[in-house]
Amino acid sequence: MTVIPVKMKKTVLVSGGVGFIGSHVTVELIEAGYDVVVADNFSNCDRTCYEGVKKITGREDIPLVEMDFCDLAAVRKIFADYPIDAVIHFAAFKAVGESVAKPLMYYRNNLTSFLNVLEAAQEKGGVNVLFSSSATVYGEPDAVPVTENTPRKPATSPYGNTKTMCEDILRDTVKASGGALKGILLRYFNPIGAHPSALIGELPRGVPNNLVPYITQTAVGKRECLSIFGNDYPTEDGTCLRDYIDIVDLAKAHVFAVTRMVEGKMKQDCEVFNIGTGRPVSVLELVNAFEKVNGVKVPHKFAPRRAGDVTAIWADPTLANEEMGWKATRSVEETLAAAWAWEKHLAGK
Ligand code: UDP
């Protein structure tokens, strides 16, 4: 007699699943065989990315729940409606400058939504929680590259502070749960690029804050000139150094992390991994690489430093490489080509 398991597939709830990172993670989870429930309030994303996810995966049946994670009743309901094994929490505001101007909005949204996820996960029990953290928690590090043991520094913005606080909230909640909840914190470096299909990618509203969307919009003629913030940093070419990680590589890291959790392979109840390439690239190098690989000009000028920017930060990704078995594989050139293909897709070219 064959015993058919009640539930073979694992179900992952992706909050903020229509956003830039969430949509790419949804694709990779589905391609790895997970059932995914996408939830979003569409405050900073567009339904076209959900359509893109369906096209890429060839799946018409991906549940999409329109909801706000600040609404505890709605969060409880989604946990009651679906057999959720793991939740990946992306639903948060992410603009550094806006967070300085509107701290309460950031603390209210980013903390409340995560508290609600944890509350509902705790009530249900046996749920694995993956939180999308950021290299911003390291501040201006004393030494690079940074490992997971590099001390965190006080955040320079309310946005950064919400990441540090949510890390602590997850750690404390997991500890108090006595094994009922498990957590992984992924600290992302600088996610860039787009899916190679050019069906999903970053959709910044208004003037982009981040470097790569600003580059692609300048190249396509939407912006006149890229300002490079600071060329007097103590680096080789005077511009800041970052660890730019391909969005598909980053998305795959979530599949490794979720699998580690649902298969019970974690070594501690709450684990932390840096998700980066280990390769520092300067702003100027990135602009030059973009021009070269895509054969297009990006008018640029040097401008004063931007408040809050750190000089140099990149990851030591050894732990994620060796412990999770995940590694970034894409070159900066491939990633910048994908970013450009996405911008052209948006422009209808
Ligand atoms: N940057 C820039 N011009 C822009 C946007 C960003 O020179 O229009 C620089 C920024 O100063 C930093 C790097 O690009 O050194 C990456 O910035 P981004 O905002 O993309 O990410 P961050 O590292 O701040 O999270």
Side-chain angles (χ1 to χ4, degrees):
M1 191 181 83
T2 320
V3 179
I4 300 169
V6 179
K7 182 168 165 269
M8 287 185 53
K9 275 199 168 187
K10 297 286 183 186
T11 302
V12 184
L13 168 63
V14 182
S15 85
V18 189
F20 175 43
I21 303 180
S23 57
H24 288 82
V25 168
T26 299
V27 166
E28 296 306 317
L29 285 169
I30 290 172
E31 291 187 343
Y34 285 96
D35 279 338
V36 179
V37 179
V38 173
D40 213 298
N41 68 354
F42 293 97
S43 68
N44 190 26
C45 62
D46 197 288
R47 200 169 273 269
T48 53
C49 281
Y50 172 64
E51 298 305 324
V53 168
K54 290 200 291 187
K55 254 195 209 146
I56 295 166
T57 57
R59 289 273 298 272
E60 275 301 317
D61 58 345
I62 307 163
L64 169 63
V65 181
E66 190 165 348
M67 60 174 284
D68 188 340
F69 278 79
C70 289
D71 176 353
L72 180 57
V75 180
R76 283 191 167 127
K77 182 165 179 353
I78 200 168
F79 274 84
D81 287 351
Y82 294 94
I84 294 164
D85 298 290
V87 50
I88 307 182
H89 185 63
F90 294 114
F93 295 150
K94 60 173 185 180
V96 177
E98 187 184 45
S99 80
V100 174
K102 299 176 182 169
L104 288 182
M105 185 175 114
Y106 270 66
Y107 287 121
R108 193 183 305 280
N109 185 67
N110 292 9
L111 298 181
T112 309
S113 60
F114 193 47
L115 291 171
N116 288 347
V117 164
L118 291 174
E119 193 82 53
Q122 186 169 271
E123 284 163 6
K124 188 152 181 167
V127 177
N128 300 285
V129 182
L130 197 161
F131 179 66
S132 64
S133 191
S134 161
T136 192
V137 301
Y138 297 117
E140 176 96 61
D142 296 329
V144 274
V146 293
T147 72
E148 290 76 1
N149 293 323
T150 297
R152 295 185 315 184
K153 291 263 178 86
T156 54
S157 71
Y159 158 77
N161 216 10
T162 65
K163 291 293 177 198
T164 308
M165 292 164 93
C166 285
E167 284 199 351
D168 292 343
I169 291 168
L170 178 59
R171 218 188 296 270
D172 290 345
T173 309
V174 163
K175 196 170 164 194
S177 78
L181 287 186
K182 306 244 190 248
I184 289 187
L185 303 165
L186 296 184
R187 292 183 180 149
Y188 312 145
F189 284 70
N190 288 59
I192 62 165
H195 194 269
S197 64
L199 290 170
I200 54 173
E202 207 166 354
L203 274 176
R205 293 212 167 141
V207 182
N209 293 307
N210 296 113
L211 179 59
V212 169
Y214 209 106
I215 289 176
T216 57
Q217 289 195 5
T218 307
V220 86
K222 255 171 114 174
R223 311 269 157 217
E224 255 177 41
C225 185
L226 166 76
S227 291
I228 295 181
F229 299 137
N231 65 336
D232 57 351
Y233 284 98
T235 60
E236 208 159 293
D237 64 21
T239 66
C240 294
L241 296 173
R242 294 289 183 275
D243 185 333
Y244 296 95
I245 165 98
D246 183 277
I247 187 66
V248 177
D249 276 337
L250 180 101
K252 286 182 192 294
H254 295 73
V255 178
F256 281 80
V258 164
T259 302
R260 182 175 174 84
M261 293 199 284
V262 299
E263 289 185 351
K265 298 205 170 122
M266 293 172 70
K267 294 206 172 137
Q268 289 162 15
D269 287 346
C270 190
E271 296 181 331
V272 185
F273 295 100
N274 282 340
I275 303 300
T277 65
R279 168 187 66 202
V281 175
S282 79
V283 176
L284 207 49
E285 280 173 333
L286 199 79
V287 173
N288 291 337
F290 183 91
E291 290 187 329
K292 193 162 169 221
V293 71
N294 294 315
V296 59
K297 283 279 158 218
V298 181
H300 56 274
K301 61 174 189 229
F302 293 117
R305 292 181 177 195
R306 184 172 71 175
D309 275 342
V310 303
T311 304
I313 184 161
W314 67 94
D316 177 342
T318 309
L319 192 68
N321 298 165
E322 292 181 357
E323 194 53 50
M324 279 209 300
W326 167 88
K327 203 174 178 18
T329 60
R330 286 167 175 75
S331 67
V332 168
E333 286 75 18
E334 272 175 277
T335 305
L336 292 174
W340 181 227
W342 167 243
E343 188 67 60
K344 285 193 293 185
H345 167 84
L346 290 177
K349 289 185 183 173

